[in-house]
């Protein structure tokens, strides 16, 4: 496919601002959407897995069955296109009205437990580990983010959209 160390998450909120859906991002991301926002669908793509997920009633991600995501890699253009059938989102779905957030992480084939195959970020870089993280256990593994707010333009303030990690030694907000 052409992907090996990249992981992409795309979070879709079908009714932005209504407070439905899950606030916590996928396992290992250690980040959450602010109160009032929540994702109803997530697309998780890496070299070995391409899945659509929905939160269960408790907010835990559940993978959809079947092959429903196609990733197309154009190395010359340095681009990845993800294709998901509109029918997967139900009759009358209008993605033009949805809220979106996209995260870039690093894939790990031998990850720590419970982090959905994403690489750890440590204070100092090491073999197969990113550097630059704080010396705690609750920081995010997200490398980059993009999102569209209800105003349909990028938010100038990351903290308006996301809550990332907690205080050192404390769990991130749920």
């Amino acid at each position: 496919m052409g992907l090996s160390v990249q992981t992409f998450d795309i979070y879709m909120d079908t009714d932005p601002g209504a407070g439905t859906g899950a606030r916590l991002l996928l396992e290992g991301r250690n980040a959450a959407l602010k109160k009032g926002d929540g994702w109803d669908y997530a697309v998780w793509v890496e070299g070995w897995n391409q899945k659509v997920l929905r939160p269960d009633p408790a907010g835990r991600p559940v993978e959809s069955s079947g092959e429903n995501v196609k990733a197309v890699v154009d190395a010359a253009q340095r681009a990845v296109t993800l294709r998901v059938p509109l029918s997967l989102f139900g009759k009358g779905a209008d993605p033009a009205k949805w809220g979106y957030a996209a995260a870039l992480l690093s894939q790990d084939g031998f990850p720590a437990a419970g982090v959905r195959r994403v690489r750890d970020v440590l204070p100092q870089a090491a073999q197969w580990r990113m550097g630059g993280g704080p010396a705690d256990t609750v920081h995010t593994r997200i490398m980059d983010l993009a999102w569209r707010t209800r105003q349909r333009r990028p938010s100038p303030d990351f903290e308006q959209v996301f809550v990332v990690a907690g205080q050192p030694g404390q769990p991130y907000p749920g």
Side-chain angles (χ1 to χ4, degrees):
M1 167 195 311
L3 288 177
S4 61
V5 297
Q6 302 89 352
T7 296
F8 301 97
D9 292 348
I10 300 173
Y11 299 91
M12 295 164 274
D13 185 353
T14 61
D15 54 358
T20 62
R23 287 188 52 232
L24 296 181
L25 302 188
L26 296 178
E27 306 96 313
R29 280 56 175 171
N30 290 355
L33 299 172
K34 288 280 192 174
K35 288 187 185 203
D37 289 317
W39 60 270
D40 302 293
Y41 295 94
V43 176
W44 167 52
V45 173
E46 47 126 285
W48 291 265
N49 292 282
Q50 301 84 46
K51 306 280 185 183
V52 173
L53 301 100
R54 294 206 65 184
D56 71 9
R60 293 180 300 261
V62 176
E63 295 179 8
S64 298
S65 61
E67 304 226 4
N68 44 36
V69 178
K70 177 155 178 69
V72 179
V73 177
D74 184 338
Q77 294 295 316
R78 299 173 53 127
V80 177
T81 301
L82 305 178
R83 295 183 180 168
V84 181
L86 184 58
S87 61
L88 185 71
F89 304 112
K91 188 173 181 170
D94 187 357
K97 295 180 180 176
W98 296 357
Y100 295 91
L104 173 67
L105 304 99
S106 183
Q107 184 274 339
D108 192 341
F110 302 96
V115 300
R116 195 174 285 269
R117 296 176 52 87
V118 292
R119 196 170 306 280
D120 289 334
V121 180
L122 305 174
Q124 298 295 318
Q127 185 174 15
W128 305 113
R129 300 291 178 259
M130 300 295 202
D136 64 23
T137 59
V138 295
H139 58 276
T140 187
R141 291 173 175 83
I142 296 172
M143 309 302 282
D144 204 357
L145 281 168
W147 61 91
R148 184 172 86 173
T149 64
R150 286 180 282 289
Q151 293 82 27
R152 298 185 184 225
R153 55 185 154 65
S155 173
D157 183 4
F158 177 82
E159 291 300 323
Q160 289 178 359
V161 181
F162 294 95
V163 177
V164 177
Q167 296 299 318
Q170 299 296 313
Y172 69 102

